[in-house]
Amino acid sequence: MSVSNENLKTISKNYQKNVDYFKVQLGVEPNYDVFCHEMIIGGKQAAFFVIQGLPDTEVLSDIFRHLSNLEREQIVPNTVEKLKKQHLAHFQLDTSDQTDKIIDAVLMGQTAIVVEGEPEAILLDLRKYAARGPEEPDLEKVVRGSRDGFTETLVFNTMLVRRRIRDRSLRMEAMQVGRRSKTDICVSYLADVANLDLVEEIKKMLRSIDIDGLPMAEKSVEELITPGSYWNPLPKVRYTERPDVAAQHLFEGHILIMVDTSPSIIILPTTYFHQMQHAEEYRQSPTIGVYLRWVRFFAIFVSVFLLPLWFLFSIEPSLLPQSLKYIGPSKVGKVPLIAQFIIAEGAVDVIRMAAIHTPAPLTTSLGLIAALMIGDLAVTIGLFAPEVVMYTAVAATAVFATPSYELGMAHRLARLFLLLMVYIIHLPGFILGSIAMILFAGFTKSFGVPYLWPLVPFNFAALKTVLLRTPVPAQNKRPSILHTQDITRQTVKSAPAFKPMTKEKKKQTKEKEKEK
């Protein structure tokens, strides 16, 4: 039987047999970036298996230089143990006799060392990924606050969280998903805070994933652990690229899922109102935070209901009081109103997609083309009513006030649904459509948590924290719906009142200064 067809489960006593097997399995011959470097260490043959570009080449060169100068008496007997403890001074070092584990380790960027006559291979983790800096994410910018953000490298992301949470109960549990991709995934939580039953359920779901790879990283993971909700547009998890937002959710008792190669971190479970919060509200004073939050709520309401309401009043002007009769188009245009709305909505999405694919120097030109040559011309020649263009622009702008991009897209679909309901059965359509959307969201759950909590089921104390940006001294309890082990975030204490210095005290202070 040839070496290529033989399946070695463990390291063989025959050095050449091991080397030939790993060369075939790793594809050393056909691959230009997979290397097998053979050398003599203390009179013994040794082979280094490595993928070009993944390990730190400077450190690897220093290791080669040191090992090539060793004498036989320095490494025998117990060669592997002596190499580990005396000559390979690195904290990320392991051994294994399982060939599959060794091959997987090399494919993940580690360096495998096979030594003649030894029953184990040494696995040295010298990975040094090419990665961009932790820049502020575009979707979650703040006026004042930290400017770092998650990157595509899992190690960097866990480091950013560790920097903010120096707690002994913080857990970063790693696993691999994907038969071929073997993507690294990290589940993070506070062991003495989070609901451990939910943590185990999440880890069980991740381990049960049986797929060849995760090319779309965190989005693939989301769909694989939320079965049965593929056609539900409401996001079942929250995404963030901000380490401070991720840390805040860990303190509340949420669970994080970090996927290598993605800067977006999954936060679960989540609710509708979680998706509507933004870090900017907590970077300002509570009063300004409340104002910003209510402006955001209003913008979200406008993004969903403005167009359907205006369309309803346009086709049913009798619903308006006399003082609001000016609402509605003076000229409908050559195209029916419902068609105008659908075309306008589609045009906004086309412009959005074109802006993503347009080179940065040309984005200004794209905006001018969309606004002047398309929108203005459509109104001028009478195809569109001016109000349709204006209200569509207002609704499209309001969508971007939603912190969660995924929830904003769900609101866009909700707006189209209401427009069609109004077109079909007018006022009853608007009422029934609104009720249907609320019921749909009410029956939705995110990993057992009702999506509209604390509105459904009703919890007044929690609802206050949703409607108002509470001051930090008042943030005493964790969300009860998460069923955390520790519900208290801080002990309620009244700050000592400021007392101005009396004249007698000032006099005593001056006398002490003179004595000194």
Side-chain angles (χ1 to χ4, degrees):
M1 182 182 292
S2 65
V3 174
S4 60
N5 293 328
E6 186 176 355
N7 185 18
L8 292 180
K9 296 293 184 181
T10 59
I11 293 287
S12 170
K13 293 181 180 180
N14 186 324
Y15 165 78
Q16 193 58 48
K17 186 177 182 180
N18 293 332
V19 172
D20 291 343
Y21 179 77
F22 286 128
K23 282 183 176 180
V24 171
Q25 294 299 315
L26 291 169
V28 172
E29 194 66 33
N31 289 312
Y32 82 95
D33 59 343
V34 182
F35 291 96
C36 173
H37 177 74
E38 295 191 66
M39 61 184 296
I40 302 298
I41 301 176
K44 284 192 170 189
Q45 296 184 83
F48 287 72
F49 291 92
V50 62
I51 294 181
Q52 182 183 19
L54 293 181
D56 189 326
T57 53
E58 291 185 8
V59 176
L60 194 58
S61 297
D62 290 339
I63 291 174
F64 286 158
R65 194 175 301 111
H66 172 72
L67 295 180
S68 63
N69 295 324
L70 293 179
E71 300 295 334
R72 184 173 183 83
E73 57 269 16
Q74 292 179 278
I75 64 169
V76 294
N78 302 323
T79 300
V80 170
E81 284 299 312
K82 287 187 175 180
L83 288 175
K84 280 177 57 179
K85 297 180 179 179
Q86 298 178 24
H87 304 291
L88 294 174
H90 198 273
F91 66 96
Q92 289 181 303
L93 189 148
D94 194 10
T95 58
S96 178
D97 64 347
Q98 302 295 313
T99 56
D100 286 344
K101 181 180 178 180
I102 296 168
I103 292 169
D104 290 344
V106 173
L107 292 174
M108 287 188 290
Q110 298 185 46
T111 301
I113 308 174
V114 180
V115 182
E116 178 187 356
E118 296 302 315
E120 290 182 308
I122 300 174
L123 300 176
L124 197 57
D125 194 347
L126 302 174
R127 285 177 289 187
K128 185 180 179 181
Y129 292 121
R132 64 182 177 90
E135 303 163 355
E136 183 178 18
D138 290 333
L139 290 177
E140 298 176 272
K141 289 184 177 181
V142 293
V143 175
R144 190 180 303 280
S146 61
R147 295 287 186 261
D148 56 350
F150 290 123
T151 70
E152 290 76 14
T153 306
L154 183 62
V155 176
F156 284 10
N157 295 341
T158 56
M159 175 191 68
L160 290 171
V161 175
R162 285 278 184 188
R163 185 180 179 186
R164 287 167 169 81
I165 304 179
R166 301 171 183 178
D167 188 89
R168 66 186 67 183
S169 69
L170 178 60
R171 299 290 181 264
M172 297 282 186
E173 299 186 13
M175 60 183 71
Q176 293 175 349
V177 174
R179 294 190 303 271
R180 295 182 182 274
S181 67
K182 292 182 172 59
T183 306
D184 291 323
I185 293 179
C186 176
V187 180
S188 180
Y189 60 96
L190 292 176
D192 58 355
V193 173
N195 182 347
L196 295 182
D197 291 335
L198 180 59
V199 172
E200 290 303 318
E201 188 65 25
I202 296 301
K203 291 193 290 186
K204 182 180 177 182
M205 289 179 179
L206 291 172
R207 293 192 188 101
S208 66
I209 294 175
D210 184 17
I211 194 170
D212 55 355
L214 301 173
M216 295 295 112
E218 81 291 344
K219 187 58 185 176
S220 300
V221 171
E222 179 201 344
E223 293 187 10
L224 288 166
I225 64 176
T226 55
S229 60
Y230 311 123
W231 305 110
N232 187 341
L234 294 173
K236 296 290 191 67
V237 300
R238 180 180 177 180
Y239 290 106
T240 186
E241 296 183 31
R242 293 188 63 90
D244 50 0
V245 173
Q248 173 67 19
H249 281 79
L250 281 176
F251 287 131
E252 290 183 356
H254 293 266
I255 303 166
L256 305 184
I257 298 179
M258 309 180 195
V259 184
D260 194 28
T261 72
S262 173
S264 296
I265 304 301
I266 295 175
I267 302 173
L268 55 89
T270 187
T271 67
Y272 179 79
F273 299 104
H274 269 120
Q275 307 277 357
M276 296 167 66
Q277 295 180 0
H278 192 271
E280 180 66 21
E281 299 164 4
Y282 294 92
R283 292 290 185 177
Q284 305 294 337
S285 68
T287 304
I288 297 175
V290 170
Y291 168 74
L292 293 176
R293 183 169 293 186
W294 276 93
V295 168
R296 181 170 288 110
F297 287 167
F298 177 74
I300 291 172
F301 179 86
V302 165
S303 70
V304 177
F305 294 104
L306 178 65
L307 288 186
L309 279 173
W310 186 84
F311 183 43
L312 175 63
F313 295 145
S314 298
I315 59 178
E316 292 283 352
S318 59
L319 297 173
L320 290 169
Q322 192 63 35
S323 58
L324 297 177
K325 288 295 183 180
Y326 62 86
I327 294 178
S330 55
K331 294 182 179 179
V332 174
K334 299 177 182 178
V335 180
L337 275 180
I338 185 62
Q340 291 184 35
F341 279 121
I342 293 175
I343 294 172
E345 288 284 357
V348 168
D349 282 328
V350 169
I351 294 170
R352 177 181 60 82
M353 289 185 286
I356 294 174
H357 304 302
T358 302
L362 301 179
T363 51
T364 303
S365 301
L366 175 67
L368 291 173
I369 293 171
L372 300 178
M373 297 183 66
I374 298 178
D376 187 59
L377 187 61
V379 173
T380 302
I381 64 177
L383 288 177
F384 277 46
E387 292 93 336
V388 170
V389 176
M390 183 188 72
Y391 286 118
T392 301
V394 171
T397 304
V399 165
F400 293 104
T402 310
S404 168
Y405 181 78
E406 292 76 20
L407 185 61
M409 295 303 294
H411 286 160
R412 188 186 297 273
L413 294 179
R415 183 169 69 236
L416 287 171
F417 170 70
L418 281 181
L419 280 171
L420 292 175
M421 290 294 290
V422 170
Y423 173 70
I424 296 171
I425 46 179
H426 299 188
L427 179 60
F430 180 82
I431 296 173
L432 292 175
S434 301
I435 293 173
M437 289 193 306
I438 294 172
L439 290 176
F440 182 76
F443 283 105
T444 299
K445 288 188 175 182
S446 171
F447 297 91
V449 173
Y451 204 65
L452 291 184
W453 184 87
L455 193 61
V456 180
F458 186 73
N459 185 318
F460 179 70
L463 187 61
K464 286 193 300 183
T465 65
V466 168
L467 299 177
L468 305 174
R469 191 291 222 188
T470 53
V472 173
Q475 298 173 12
N476 304 319
K477 303 291 184 181
R478 294 186 172 87
S480 59
I481 199 65
L482 296 178
H483 304 294
T484 56
Q485 302 170 66
D486 181 8
I487 64 172
T488 304
R489 290 199 62 186
Q490 63 177 329
T491 305
V492 182
K493 293 181 179 179
S494 57
F498 174 75
K499 294 181 180 180
M501 189 178 291
T502 61
K503 292 182 179 180
E504 186 66 26
K505 189 70 175 176
K506 289 180 181 179
K507 186 177 180 181
Q508 292 176 2
T509 305
K510 288 181 179 179
E511 289 176 355
K512 289 181 180 179
E513 289 177 353
K514 288 179 180 180
E515 291 176 0
K516 290 180 180 179

